[in-house]
Amino acid sequence: MPIVIGIGVLALLILIHELGHFLCARLFKIPVEVFSIGFGPPIYEYEGKYTKYRISAIPFGGYVKLFGEEEVPEDVDPELERLAFKNRSYLEKILVVLAGPMANLIFAWILLVVVHMIGIPVLQPVIGEVIKDSPAYMAGLKRGDRIIKIDGRDIDSWDKIAKYIQENPNREISLTILRDNSIVTIKIKPKEEILENIFGEKRKVGIIGIKPLGTVTKKSYPFIKAIEEGTTKFYNIIYLTLKSLVKLIERAIPIGSIGGPIMIVQMAKEQASQGSSQLLFFMSLISVNLGILNLLPIPILDGGHAMIFTIEAILRKQLSQKAKELVSYLGLVIILSIMIIAFYNDLMRLIVR
């Protein structure tokens, strides 16, 4: 059953992606010949009025086949010929190819809003350990102290404590503590230290020498606040995804960290065991990654198609078939290389486990 959930997550994200292409094409009245979830031979097919809907044997992908993507039959009706994808404006072509990744990004944002409405796990701002001879120890902080304000700002999670302290090295701050049903105010100056972040970048941060008690509760937000929190988290995920891509190219992140569909299925299975909000958050994370990766200007990806259409629009003429085939082969080599690395890493993780 957990494996089914993992495959289901991947299939749903692919469905959202292809649905973006499909709906945008239909918006412009471009005929869609095939809408397939998966590649290879179809295991189920339903023939609609205009479109064949398929579930194919290989679930790690999908496609939408538009009428007249490459060539338009010579004996076709003139009205149908006008509607063919090949004969549409460059703007329409670009919007159709970008609609897939944009659908993934919009879906991710909706999921994050829903997650914040359902409730997210929050590490409570309660001190579990005070490190000896640290600024916190010298200031008199104790195990069990609940930090409720920092410099007058309300605190409801440990993350907010860590963020504020790290951003204020060598500056005295005021902590409002709830201790044994009494309110205590403590002044403390975070000590500056040089730490490395997840990308190997060194930065100056403030520390005071405390660790959390480890109590986790679920916090839900009203609709408007959930939109605000979900949108903030959405932008943060996009920023980290883009930065991770840059660091991967710079080799600051090891190539062994790249994962493929096997890792996604396994991680989805693990997240599902931790509750619905964790699974939805993981889905939003993968959906953002799927959207951004498909926006990259690599031939055969959506971003690559958009790049080619943009070049043709600027030149006001179509690239030669030979040029298109050349860039397609280049894109295929890049994508296949990434897929081989991802599958290799997935298999190595399975072997190690």
Side-chain angles (χ1 to χ4, degrees), residues 17-228:
H17 182 93
E18 300 305 333
L19 198 59
H21 292 308
F22 177 83
L23 292 177
C24 191
R26 296 306 300 132
L27 179 67
F28 295 130
K29 296 183 170 53
I30 300 170
V32 179
E33 295 182 345
V34 179
F35 181 100
S36 177
I37 301 302
F39 294 110
I43 56 177
Y44 172 79
E45 183 172 283
Y46 169 75
E47 189 153 353
K49 188 175 181 180
Y50 304 106
T51 308
K52 290 180 181 179
Y53 300 91
R54 291 175 181 169
I55 297 176
S56 299
I58 305 170
F60 305 130
Y63 64 93
V64 169
K65 187 175 186 302
L66 305 176
F67 174 72
E69 282 188 59
E70 299 296 335
E71 296 295 334
V72 181
E74 292 182 1
D75 58 346
V76 75
D77 181 87
E79 178 60 23
L80 189 57
E81 182 179 5
R82 186 186 66 82
L83 296 176
F85 181 75
K86 185 178 181 180
N87 297 329
R88 308 313 286 265
S89 71
Y90 285 116
L91 178 60
E92 288 175 333
K93 290 178 181 179
I94 291 169
L95 290 175
V96 169
V97 298
L98 294 184
M102 292 309 297
N104 282 123
L105 293 176
I106 292 169
F107 183 64
W109 175 76
I110 292 171
L111 285 178
L112 288 168
V113 173
V114 171
V115 164
H116 283 82
M117 291 175 65
I118 293 173
I120 59 171
V122 173
L123 188 60
Q124 290 296 293
V126 181
I127 297 174
E129 181 184 349
V130 179
I131 298 171
K132 191 174 181 181
D133 298 328
S134 67
Y137 182 86
M138 303 302 291
L141 289 174
K142 299 178 181 179
R143 174 184 168 86
D145 285 349
R146 174 180 285 269
I147 301 174
I148 56 176
K149 289 177 185 280
I150 299 182
D151 285 343
R153 296 172 173 82
D154 291 333
I155 296 296
D156 58 6
S157 72
W158 189 267
D159 287 345
K160 289 184 179 179
I161 296 172
K163 186 173 185 295
Y164 194 86
I165 290 173
Q166 287 178 2
E167 290 175 349
N168 290 277
N170 293 326
R171 188 182 77 81
E172 187 176 78
I173 59 177
S174 174
L175 304 181
T176 303
I177 308 294
L178 179 62
R179 177 187 294 169
D180 299 327
N181 296 320
S182 298
I183 301 297
V184 180
T185 300
I186 293 177
K187 303 286 187 180
I188 189 169
K189 182 184 287 187
K191 182 175 66 174
E192 182 183 289
E193 284 202 2
I194 307 295
L195 297 180
E196 283 191 359
N197 61 17
I198 58 173
F199 302 112
E201 299 169 332
K202 293 182 178 180
R203 61 191 186 107
K204 296 178 181 179
V205 298
I207 64 164
I208 62 173
I210 56 174
K211 296 180 180 180
L213 186 62
T215 307
V216 177
T217 59
K218 185 174 277 192
K219 181 177 181 179
S220 57
Y221 295 85
F223 181 63
I224 300 300
K225 187 64 175 176
I227 291 176
E228 180 185 330

Side-chain angles (χ1 to χ4, degrees), residues 188-307:
I188 189 169
K189 182 184 287 187
K191 182 175 66 174
E192 182 183 289
E193 284 202 2
I194 307 295
L195 297 180
E196 283 191 359
N197 61 17
I198 58 173
F199 302 112
E201 299 169 332
K202 293 182 178 180
R203 61 191 186 107
K204 296 178 181 179
V205 298
I207 64 164
I208 62 173
I210 56 174
K211 296 180 180 180
L213 186 62
T215 307
V216 177
T217 59
K218 185 174 277 192
K219 181 177 181 179
S220 57
Y221 295 85
F223 181 63
I224 300 300
K225 187 64 175 176
I227 291 176
E228 180 185 330
E229 294 290 330
T231 302
T232 300
K233 184 68 73 176
F234 176 66
Y235 284 127
N236 288 341
I237 292 173
I238 288 177
Y239 170 76
L240 286 173
T241 302
L242 291 173
K243 190 164 185 177
S244 296
L245 284 172
V246 172
K247 292 299 177 182
L248 196 59
I249 294 169
E250 294 176 349
R251 304 295 296 275
I253 297 176
I255 201 166
S257 63
I258 296 175
I262 297 173
M263 187 184 78
I264 292 172
V265 169
Q266 286 208 320
M267 290 183 69
K269 178 183 70 173
E270 292 168 4
Q271 295 299 316
S273 68
Q274 297 179 32
S276 59
S277 62
Q278 289 292 96
L279 177 61
L280 291 178
F281 180 79
F282 173 75
M283 285 174 62
S284 69
L285 186 66
I286 299 301
S287 196
V288 166
N289 277 265
L290 190 59
I292 289 177
L293 288 175
N294 272 282
L295 286 173
L296 294 177
I298 298 174
I300 85 169
L301 291 183
D302 296 322
H305 291 308
M307 177 185 67

